[in-house]
Amino acid sequence: MTDLRNVTGASITLDSVVKRYKGQDKPAVERLDLEIDAGHIVAFVGPSGCGKTTTLKMINRLIEPTEGRIFIGGRDVTREDPDKLRQSIGYVIQSGGLFPHWSVAKNIGAIPRVLGWDNKRIAERTEYLLDLVGLDPGTFADRLPKDMSGGQQQRVGVARALAADPPVLLMDEPFGAVDPITRVRLQDSLIAIQHELGKTIVIVTHDFEEATKLGDKVLILSEGGHVEQYARPEEILTDPATPFVEEFVGSGAKLAYLTVSRVRDVDVDPVTTARIGESASVVIARAKAAGHTWVVVVDESGRPRSWPSLTEVASKPEVSDYLDRRLPVVAQSSTLNDALDAMLAASQGATLVTDGRGAVVGSLSIGSVTDVIQTKLAEGNGVAEEPSYETYVDGSDPTPTPVVAADEPGPA
Ligand SMILES: Nc1ncnc2c1ncn2[C@@H]1O[C@H](COP(=O)(O)OP(=O)(O)OP(=O)(O)O)[C@@H](O)[C@H]1O
Ligand SMILES: [Mg+2]
């Protein structure tokens, strides 16, 4: 795998780590050895109670190991001051874990303040991080968590964990409490952030598909923190190490191509973009010259707002601003499975594709996705079973029919 990432993360090593809780006869984690490369994402999966959270919390010593040693960037952290250690490790939990009475900015600045940063530096860092996680600083810096959606709070949780620029980020089921579409967007922004910052990220999830999407490597654990397999997602899917893994992966293997193939591996179709306030006739001429029957209205950062047909554009002298909340959008880092889900959820035959910063780069049709899968299956390196993507291919017209729903309020 060619890896051109900029690495700022640190490696993590677990050396014969054991956790025995008081009053439990069996150890929660029994002699775990693990090597995590700097700048990589590792996803922990396994059945409930197998020791995922225990293992994660031993890394930042929210739980003390009973035996064994843990190294971060070669330093034995079992000998360090746990408070200091936790300031250098980002930690994100389900639902964000924000302080409810603190504004977003105050939440993000919590650790930098403890570290004695001056206000100007904290303010700059907060603005940078909000932008990084896709939240407009002007809109959100002064909000309270309760006035935000679950997905937005989760983004703030990630920003807060990154505040002091820690080399390691630990995440325990961070996207468990959000709807599937938001979840995909959060996963995509995590991948984009990781590529931009090169942190080492350990993420616990109970969702095998999420693990294969996010993890450079996936760690499959069984009871007692026993390692069933620790390998790249493709390897786990094509070559499960044990019957336990085979069963755990189960029907997921049928979707192997969809979950390990990325949108960026498929050619996207070009789109005509239009800026808010642009003259409708100019936009229509540009779209027609490109052979397009619809355009993508984008904001100043190139992020998509809506995809009106040319008829709709023609109904006003200028391109108007309107946020289509049902617009199907996936990132280049999304899997083909995510792309199909996005189309399905929006009842469209295509989805828009954005880069790491959310700017539109093209569109992807259901036909292109199924072509890719057919080709791969025909190549013979496919999964033997009947491909289950067929559930998506219902014979409906594969051309996108982007319309702004008539019942949605238009701009004034
Ligand atoms: N504080 C505790 N005291 C005693 N036993 C504990 C404690 N915390 C966890 N355990 C036990 O240790 C084992 C591992 O728990 P852990 O929370 O690490 O599992 P997990 O893999 O994160 O599970 P889940 O997917 O349900 O979150 C379980 O059997 C659990 O009951
Ligand atoms: Mg857990």
Side-chain angles (χ1 to χ4, degrees), residues 24 35 39 101 119 149 170 183 232 248 250 300 311 337 342:
Q24 305 290 81
E35 198 64 62
H101 305 298
N119 289 341
S149 74
L170 307 178
R183 188 177 176 119
R232 297 200 305 125
F248 190 79
E300 324 76 66
T311 320
N337 200 34

Side-chain angles (χ1 to χ4, degrees), residues 21 24 28 47-54 173:
Y21 287 107
Q24 305 290 81
S48 184
C50 69
K52 303 181 293 295
T53 297
T54 301
E173 305 213 24

Side-chain angles (χ1 to χ4, degrees), residues 286-298:
R286 195 162 69 232
K288 283 193 171 154
H292 296 153
T293 57
W294 47 277
V295 300
V296 183
V297 178
V298 295

Side-chain angles (χ1 to χ4, degrees), residues 27-327:
V29 174
E30 218 182 320
R31 219 152 275 292
L32 178 60
D33 290 299
L34 187 67
E35 198 64 62
I36 297 174
D37 290 335
H40 278 212
I41 305 189
V42 167
F44 290 3
V45 279
S48 184
C50 69
K52 303 181 293 295
T53 297
T54 301
T55 303
L56 192 76
K57 286 184 168 173
M58 286 194 287
I59 297 174
N60 66 0
R61 291 182 57 199
L62 280 171
I63 291 177
E64 290 292 343
T66 316
E67 283 175 43
R69 294 196 299 170
I70 296 172
F71 299 88
I72 295 182
R75 283 176 11 234
D76 183 350
V77 299
T78 39
R79 287 155 198 264
E80 282 185 18
D81 171 36
D83 288 331
K84 277 243 162 58
L85 175 69
R86 284 194 284 272
Q87 286 163 13
S88 68
I89 299 181
Y91 185 53
V92 185
I93 57 170
Q94 195 170 356
S95 80
L98 302 175
F99 301 117
H101 305 298
W102 286 11
S103 69
V104 163
K106 197 168 174 194
N107 264 285
I108 295 174
I111 290 180
R113 267 197 307 281
V114 171
L115 296 175
W117 293 20
D118 63 51
N119 289 341
K120 182 164 170 280
R121 186 172 171 210
I122 295 175
E124 281 167 4
R125 182 75 185 157
T126 302
E127 190 170 330
Y128 165 79
L129 288 168
L130 280 173
D131 185 57
L132 183 73
V133 300
L135 294 173
D136 175 42
T139 312
F140 291 102
D142 297 324
R143 290 257 182 112
L144 287 175
K146 71 173 171 61
D147 299 328
M148 301 172 77
S149 74
Q152 289 166 342
Q153 291 181 35
Q154 205 57 55
R155 287 172 190 272
V156 176
V158 172
R160 186 179 61 175
L162 290 168
D165 207 18
V168 170
L169 195 58
L170 307 178
M171 310 178 91
D172 197 348
E173 305 213 24
F175 310 139
V178 294
D179 67 87
I181 299 290
T182 306
R183 188 177 176 119
V184 166
R185 292 193 183 171
L186 290 172
Q187 291 168 346
D188 289 331
S189 26
L190 183 69
I191 292 172
I193 289 167
Q194 205 278 343
H195 275 255
E196 187 160 334
L197 304 182
K199 301 293 176 194
T200 307
I201 300 178
V202 184
I203 179 164
V204 169
T205 167
H206 62 262
D207 179 354
F208 180 69
E209 197 188 308
E210 179 166 270
T212 56
K213 176 178 174 182
L214 294 176
D216 292 301
K217 282 172 101 176
V218 174
L219 175 72
I220 301 186
L221 294 174
S222 58
E223 207 191 312
H226 177 73
V227 178
E228 294 286 340
Q229 191 164 13
Y230 179 46
R232 297 200 305 125
E234 294 88 330
E235 200 180 327
I236 290 177
L237 287 164
T238 53
D239 194 10
T242 64
F244 178 94
V245 174
E246 215 161 325
E247 195 176 331
F248 190 79
V249 171
S251 57
K254 281 188 254 167
L255 290 166
Y257 280 127
L258 294 174
T259 57
V260 300
S261 306
R262 305 280 166 166
V263 170
R264 76 165 84 82
D265 301 331
V266 182
D267 290 329
V268 297
D269 301 317
V271 292
T272 297
T273 56
R275 299 267 171 189
I276 297 153
E278 237 188 307
S279 144
S281 54
V282 169
V283 167
I284 291 167
R286 195 162 69 232
K288 283 193 171 154
H292 296 153
T293 57
W294 47 277
V295 300
V296 183
V297 178
V298 295
D299 68 13
E300 324 76 66
S301 312
R303 294 175 181 157
R305 307 273 302 162
S306 62
W307 59 355
S309 66
L310 294 189
T311 320
E312 280 164 322
V313 174
S315 68
K316 299 220 170 77
E318 287 180 352
V319 174
S320 50
D321 188 18
Y322 162 74
L323 179 62
D324 180 356
R325 296 193 181 278
R326 297 181 53 209
L327 198 60

